[in-house]
Amino acid sequence: MNETYYEFGTAAERWDRAQLFFDAKEYQTAARILRGLVAEAPEQVAQRLLLARAYFHSAQLGRAETELRAVLELNPVEHYARLMLGRALERQGRPGDAAPHLRMAAAMSGE
């Protein structure tokens, strides 16, 4: 893969750029930037969560699941990650695996 201008700069600049691409619904480009950021700082929940969202919206559900599980390892009470994991599992045709995550997300959000 060729490197492009949006993969250069400080981590803060790349984070801002990834958010801009995500907001513009350029999910694959956002994911490309975010993969580098996550590799540099794997403990950062926000970057991993946005990467998971980019994967989810670009129908890369297996990758989304992997990132969401990593987010939940870092922060087990991240209710949005729990909800997204349930939705990703549903979209993969795994409703039985999705149900506990969706119930937990609903309980965490007060629904």
Side-chain angles (χ1 to χ4, degrees):
M1 208 180 282
N2 295 334
E3 291 184 1
T4 57
Y5 77 92
Y6 46 78
E7 294 169 311
F8 293 99
T10 66
E13 290 168 340
R14 288 178 287 141
W15 170 248
D16 289 342
R17 206 171 293 129
Q19 289 178 306
L20 288 171
F21 278 106
F22 184 89
D23 291 342
K25 299 183 180 181
E26 294 287 337
Y27 302 119
Q28 291 185 19
T29 303
R32 185 173 176 183
I33 298 166
L34 290 162
R35 276 193 299 267
L37 290 170
V38 167
E40 291 172 21
E43 72 285 354
Q44 294 289 321
V45 171
Q47 295 173 165
R48 280 191 179 274
L49 188 56
L50 190 59
L51 177 57
R53 291 176 63 201
Y55 284 147
F56 183 86
H57 289 299
S58 61
Q60 298 178 63
L61 301 175
R63 288 180 171 180
E65 178 184 350
T66 299
E67 289 304 324
L68 291 164
R69 290 187 187 280
V71 166
L72 291 169
E73 272 187 41
L74 294 167
N75 185 358
V77 295
E78 174 55 63
H79 79 277
Y80 188 67
R82 187 76 60 185
L83 173 66
M84 282 189 59
L85 178 56
R87 296 272 168 84
L89 293 168
E90 279 182 331
R91 285 181 65 187
Q92 292 178 72
R94 297 164 53 194
D97 293 337
H101 296 288
L102 294 173
R103 281 193 304 271
M104 200 175 309
M108 291 171 153
S109 68
E111 290 180 14

